[in-house]
Amino acid sequence: MRIAVVSDIHSNLVALDAVLAAAGSVDGVWHLGDVVGYGPDPNGVVRRLREIGALGVRGNHDAAAVGGNEIDWFNPDARRAMEWTRTALEPDALLWLSALPERRTEAGIELVHGSPRQPIWEYVVSEASARANLDRLAGTAALHGHTHVPVAWRDAEGDVELILGRDGDRLDLDDRRVLLNPGSVGQPRDGLPTASFLILEPEAGRVSWHRTAYDIGTVQAAMRAVGLPGALWRRLEIGA
Ligand code: ZN
């Protein structure tokens, strides 16, 4: 079984389609939330994920998009983009987003947006938060997003090992507990503008990180056309 794992697509259909093309033949697509927010095509992204039967979970932007008070915690640009997203979402897309669960388990692997202990909001960016989440894993692996940075946090005999997920890097899964972050499809924040994703082979016990270029200019033009904040479309070309 070969699964493409994507996260933080953020209404960027051009990037999602580039990732799906780059992933090639897969047996499934799993998403880790933040399907919408920031970008120009929330309906198109939901439509594509529905078409391909993607399984996934709810992110903080998805929760805000369906009316949640998560929007109260957004910075001004994120909030403006979310207010636009709420007006742009079609009823079908809204229903699909509303049905996303906070967590799910597929092939023995937990899927969440933020972290296993706080599925919507926690950013796993420190050894302390990684440690706490590794300790509460039911199985040996979890998939999460939210930080927009491709990494893995792995148990190392009580310590935590941080593993960077660069293009082409592979990690063999064994009995050490691990948190796996595919990075972001639609708004990478690790200094590289290319879309990031994971290929997971559960039976082989293996994951690999991958990057793919997409037409950033087209997405920026679409964002300008609907009046989304300049800082949001400018950041796409620097991956920040
Ligand atoms: Zn996000």
Side-chain angles (χ1 to χ4, degrees):
M1 192 162 67
R2 193 168 179 274
I3 305 291
V5 183
V6 296
S7 191
D8 298 275
I9 302 163
H10 283 298
S11 300
N12 189 337
L13 180 61
V14 178
L16 175 60
D17 280 344
V19 162
L20 295 175
S25 174
V26 291
D27 302 295
V29 175
W30 298 351
H31 77 83
L32 308 177
D34 279 9
V35 170
V36 300
Y38 295 135
D41 199 351
N43 295 303
V45 168
V46 170
R47 205 174 304 125
R48 182 71 76 249
L49 292 178
R50 291 178 74 168
E51 275 167 17
I52 62 177
L55 301 175
V57 292
R58 170 187 302 204
N60 53 310
H61 284 255
D62 309 318
V66 302
N69 60 9
E70 284 79 4
I71 194 171
D72 297 338
W73 300 91
F74 284 12
N75 68 48
D77 282 342
R79 188 184 181 100
R80 255 179 73 196
M82 183 47 62
E83 283 163 353
W84 174 81
T85 300
R86 283 176 168 180
T87 64
L89 275 172
E90 293 162 3
D92 270 12
L94 206 55
L95 269 180
W96 185 88
L97 289 168
S98 304
L100 291 175
E102 284 194 356
R103 60 176 88 232
R104 67 192 310 148
T105 301
E106 300 292 335
I109 299 174
E110 188 168 8
L111 279 64
V112 289
H113 178 63
S115 75
R117 69 173 174 177
Q118 273 185 43
I120 300 292
W121 270 113
E122 184 177 20
Y123 291 91
V124 180
V125 289
S126 69
E127 281 189 21
S129 65
R131 178 77 264 156
N133 280 289
L134 287 167
D135 287 344
R136 77 168 300 290
L137 284 189
T140 52
L143 291 160
H144 71 119
H146 196 36
T147 64
H148 298 210
V149 176
V151 296
W153 301 89
R154 186 165 65 179
D155 187 33
E157 294 174 354
D159 281 335
V160 178
E161 180 186 4
L162 173 61
I163 299 161
L164 302 181
R166 293 160 304 201
D167 189 15
D169 282 353
R170 202 180 101 171
L171 185 69
D172 291 320
L173 304 176
D174 49 31
D175 57 358
R176 286 174 281 185
R177 292 179 175 192
V178 65
L179 308 171
L180 299 160
N181 189 326
S184 170
V185 170
Q187 194 203 77
R189 294 179 189 163
D190 62 341
L192 299 174
T194 44
S196 186
F197 64 101
L198 268 184
I199 294 291
L200 165 70
E201 296 166 272
E203 288 112 347
R206 188 160 64 210
V207 293
S208 53
W209 284 266
H210 302 274
R211 304 298 285 243
T212 190
Y214 69 95
D215 185 352
I216 292 172
T218 293
V219 178
Q220 291 176 315
M223 291 173 76
R224 285 203 299 275
V226 297
L228 289 164
L232 293 183
W233 54 260
R234 279 192 294 268
R235 71 191 299 178
L236 294 181
E237 64 200 39
I238 54 172

